[in-house]
Amino acid sequence: MIHEINLRFVKAFLLDVRGKLILVDSGTRGNGARILEEVRRVGKDPKRIEAVIYTHSHGDHIGSAGN
């Protein structure tokens, strides 16, 4: 299952692959709380995210990597 997480003008994606959660991209700086909120909204536990994949190193894709 793929869950799209809208973060203003960019998106992140939560993948549920056989019960394993993977986050793809983290949007711009300051989106950490929004991502966690959306993960909970779709009924998933953010603590279960096992990996984060960044598609590339632009700030609109890795900006919330630290939070």
Side-chain angles (χ1 to χ4, degrees):
M1 169 89 29
I2 301 172
H3 301 280
E4 184 177 294
I5 301 172
N6 288 309
L7 304 168
R8 294 166 124 188
F9 69 94
V10 297
K11 296 179 182 178
F13 296 88
L14 180 69
L15 309 179
D16 185 341
V17 182
R18 298 183 191 138
K20 296 184 180 197
L21 299 180
I22 301 166
L23 181 67
V24 178
D25 289 337
S26 65
T28 55
R29 177 181 238 172
N31 280 306
R34 173 82 174 124
I35 291 169
L36 297 178
E37 176 184 310
E38 284 298 308
V39 170
R40 288 185 197 99
R41 189 185 65 74
V42 298
K44 306 296 179 185
D45 181 355
K47 293 179 184 175
R48 291 190 44 238
I49 296 173
E50 295 187 26
V52 181
I53 299 171
Y54 295 104
T55 56
H56 60 284
S57 62
H58 291 165
D60 60 332
H61 291 262
I62 66 167
S64 289
N67 52 333

